[in-house]
Amino acid sequence: MIKTLNYTCQGESHKATDKVCQDYSLTQTTKEGISIAIVCDGHGGERYFRSNFGAKFAADVTLEKVLSLVYNTGDSLFEGKPFTAVGPTRTLKDAENINNVDKSLRRLFSSIIYSWNEKIKEHASANKLTEWEKKHVPEEYLREFVLGNKLEKQYGATLMVYVQTPRYWFAFHIGDGKCLFFQKNPIWSEPIPWDDNCFLNKTTSLCDSNAIEDFRYCYQGDGSFPTAVFLGSDGLDDTFGESDNLANFYIQVIKMLADHGVERTENELRISLPELSKRGSKDDMSVACVFNDDEIKDNKDLFIRYQIERIGKKMDEVESRIDKLKIRRDSLVEYHDEKTKIDYEYALKDLKAAKGLRKELADKYNKITEELPKGSIPKYQIEDEEEVIKGKEEIKNVKDTRRKKKQIKTIKIVYYYTKNPIKKRMSFKEFKLQKSSK
């Protein structure tokens, strides 16, 4: 059974500056089994002071136009087509083989842009400048609005859409944010081609003069469907950085959907998204999802194993770093000058941090393994081991809290710690024996 979920929250920085949420998301499933997810992100600059309306208008007109396409030509247009992905439509200008899907989708994009602009004109005409806008928006942009010049700029927004019917699916995107697919193999992917014009704080947009050239899309009609599809505004991917981290977050959502259903998952997002915004990008956040409820339950273990493997790879990287740091530490034990001593102390500090990270990853690894049937995957265990390495004794002066000097005798003694039983791992710990100066 196909189900949907969406949620949008105001960003932490918007709360601090009394700015409305400029994201908008929606999902819908019709009685014919057409499921649609849409995420729009209104621009945040001073010029785009009505982008919250622009985002909503974009979602509303897109829903209408997409349903019209599906009802009128969808089956004959997509059915039987293999997976196909097309970069920004500007790349098709000189293409020799533009098929009916390309032509139909370009007409869809053009219709969305036109209807969105009409909505903007109606809204601007019926809603004059507010007191908040007069107080917070620079004069040049207020004048632009009053004169009716480039109204689309004040309402600028991005648009990301996924559509699934019983026979085919298609997705399209203009602007930033990310769309991730989840399935058996590969576990996750980004099927909509990226646009390099979306870089740092710059993005393509519905309000661009050449917006029709910047849509990217993909589709498939040969009977293959993703298990789950997530659309997220850039507030989310800016928080998680690499797509791999974002995918891991969505897998957590998938597991909650499998175990607890839509209502409880949405309630959890109401709590977690504002917290993520506070700790991360501080931007508005939107997520919309279309998923196969039966498949996420059947494949839950597959997603868990992916998470375990992902952590395992990170642990291997940390283990390799620990090896290198230990070699460096051991080479500096018998230091004879101030510089080498400092290098040695930094090596100890870095080694301690690496071991702390390994412990943190090991805890995560073991926690996730508990989600699988008992005994499926052994837990990551660390055993104790002792090895004696000769240290160097040195007398040095430091200042105490009373600014009086004491002599500190430092003896480097090896200590026990837990380790991966497969590999030998050892470390030093310093014990300081203070002796008052005469």
Side-chain angles (χ1 to χ4, degrees):
M1 182 178 182
I2 305 301
K3 294 184 179 181
T4 63
L5 166 75
N6 70 283
Y7 182 67
T8 293
C9 78
Q10 183 183 25
E12 189 67 19
S13 65
H14 287 210
K15 295 176 184 177
T17 57
D18 191 29
K19 186 183 290 186
V20 298
C21 177
Q22 294 164 315
D23 274 15
Y24 189 81
S25 65
L26 69 79
T27 54
Q28 180 174 312
T29 299
T30 70
K31 61 182 180 181
E32 296 86 3
I34 304 165
S35 297
I36 302 172
I38 302 175
V39 165
C40 299
D41 181 0
H43 304 326
E46 292 179 323
R47 186 178 191 180
Y48 312 100
F49 57 90
R50 288 194 174 180
S51 65
N52 57 312
F53 295 107
K56 184 180 186 307
F57 296 157
D60 290 343
V61 300
T62 298
L63 179 63
E64 176 188 344
K65 299 301 178 182
V66 162
L67 287 175
S68 177
L69 172 68
V70 171
Y71 287 139
N72 292 323
T73 62
D75 284 358
S76 61
L77 189 63
F78 293 103
E79 198 167 6
K81 298 291 192 300
F83 172 76
T84 305
V86 179
T89 46
R90 59 180 177 270
T91 62
L92 294 176
K93 283 183 176 180
D94 301 321
E96 296 181 0
N97 300 316
I98 298 178
N99 60 37
N100 288 335
V101 176
D102 298 323
K103 294 175 182 176
S104 295
L105 288 179
R106 189 177 179 89
R107 284 194 294 268
L108 171 65
F109 305 151
S110 179
S111 178
I112 289 171
I113 294 170
Y114 175 80
S115 297
W116 180 71
N117 275 282
E118 290 300 302
K119 278 265 193 182
I120 286 169
K121 292 175 185 176
E122 291 174 11
H123 185 268
S125 176
N127 297 271
K128 305 304 179 185
L129 291 171
T130 66
E131 292 303 315
W132 187 95
E133 289 168 342
K134 292 176 182 177
K135 180 180 178 180
H136 292 86
V137 179
E139 183 63 32
E140 60 179 307
Y141 301 137
L142 295 178
R143 190 181 310 113
E144 192 175 59
F145 177 85
V146 171
L147 295 174
N149 294 335
K150 299 183 178 179
L151 283 175
E152 69 276 10
K153 293 297 184 183
Q154 283 91 54
Y155 291 79
T158 65
L159 172 65
M160 183 169 18
V161 184
Y162 174 74
V163 183
Q164 181 170 317
T165 79
R167 297 188 177 185
Y168 61 89
W169 63 262
F170 66 96
F172 57 91
H173 191 183
I174 179 171
D176 51 19
K178 290 187 176 179
C179 173
L180 269 62
F181 278 31
F182 293 84
Q183 56 275 310
K184 287 185 178 181
N185 187 28
I187 289 294
W188 66 270
S189 60
E190 295 182 66
I192 305 176
W194 187 247
D195 188 345
D196 289 336
N197 285 350
C198 299
F199 181 69
L200 295 179
N201 64 339
K202 294 186 180 297
T203 179
T204 53
S205 168
L206 287 171
C207 71
D208 291 342
S209 58
N210 61 340
I212 187 64
E213 307 295 343
D214 293 327
F215 279 85
R216 306 105 67 187
Y217 55 91
C218 56
Y219 57 87
Q220 189 167 7
D222 58 7
S224 180
F225 294 91
T227 298
V229 176
F230 283 84
L231 284 64
S233 61
D234 70 331
L236 270 169
D237 50 74
D238 286 349
T239 293
F240 287 101
E242 296 180 2
S243 295
D244 179 61
N245 296 329
L246 180 62
N248 187 62
F249 169 72
Y250 287 146
I251 288 176
Q252 290 296 106
V253 178
I254 288 174
K255 293 192 298 183
M256 178 162 283
L257 285 168
D259 291 339
H260 304 294
V262 172
E263 184 176 352
R264 183 165 169 180
T265 303
E266 183 176 332
N267 289 336
E268 180 60 30
L269 288 175
R270 292 179 186 276
I271 298 171
S272 60
L273 286 193
E275 184 61 28
L276 283 173
S277 176
K278 185 176 182 179
R279 292 189 285 110
S281 66
K282 297 181 171 45
D283 197 2
D284 298 333
M285 290 185 172
S286 287
V287 59
C289 173
V290 175
F291 64 97
N292 186 311
D293 191 45
D294 297 324
E295 286 189 12
I296 63 169
K297 292 175 181 176
D298 292 342
N299 296 324
K300 179 187 168 186
D301 285 3
L302 193 66
F303 293 121
I304 294 172
R305 288 178 183 276
Y306 167 80
Q307 289 185 305
I308 292 172
E309 181 182 349
R310 175 177 176 269
I311 296 175
K313 289 179 180 178
K314 289 187 177 181
M315 292 176 72
D316 287 343
E317 293 173 2
V318 174
E319 295 282 16
S320 177
R321 175 166 170 73
I322 288 174
D323 283 341
K324 293 176 182 177
L325 286 170
K326 287 169 66 176
I327 292 172
R328 175 160 178 75
R329 174 208 63 194
D330 294 347
S331 71
L332 298 169
V333 169
E334 301 292 334
Y335 53 77
H336 299 282
D337 56 69
E338 190 67 21
K339 180 183 181 304
T340 308
K341 181 183 76 174
I342 292 173
D343 289 343
Y344 173 75
E345 290 171 349
Y346 273 115
L348 287 178
K349 195 176 297 184
D350 291 343
L351 188 56
K352 182 179 179 181
K355 289 179 179 179
L357 177 57
R358 180 179 58 186
K359 175 68 166 57
E360 180 183 330
L361 290 171
D363 290 344
K364 288 182 180 179
Y365 183 97
N366 291 335
K367 184 177 180 180
I368 294 178
T369 59
E370 293 175 357
E371 299 176 22
L372 292 172
K374 190 174 182 180
S376 297
I377 294 181
K379 287 192 174 183
Y380 186 93
Q381 293 186 344
I382 304 180
E383 297 177 348
D384 293 342
E385 185 175 38
E386 181 182 19
E387 180 176 322
V388 178
I389 300 179
K390 294 180 180 180
K392 177 182 174 68
E393 207 175 81
E394 180 188 13
I395 304 299
K396 57 182 178 179
N397 293 325
V398 295
K399 293 181 179 179
D400 63 8
T401 54
R402 298 178 181 178
R403 305 189 66 80
K404 290 182 178 180
K405 292 184 178 179
K406 287 184 178 181
Q407 287 184 330
I408 294 184
K409 191 176 185 180
T410 302
I411 304 175
K412 300 174 182 67
I413 306 175
V414 80
Y415 79 108
Y416 292 115
Y417 85 111
T418 56
K419 72 172 190 66
N420 184 336
I422 298 175
K423 300 178 180 179
K424 292 184 177 181
R425 312 253 169 233
M426 287 155 282
S427 178
F428 286 105
K429 185 176 182 180
E430 293 186 347
F431 292 88
K432 297 182 177 178
L433 306 176
Q434 296 189 359
K435 180 179 178 182
S436 299
S437 60
K438 295 180 180 179

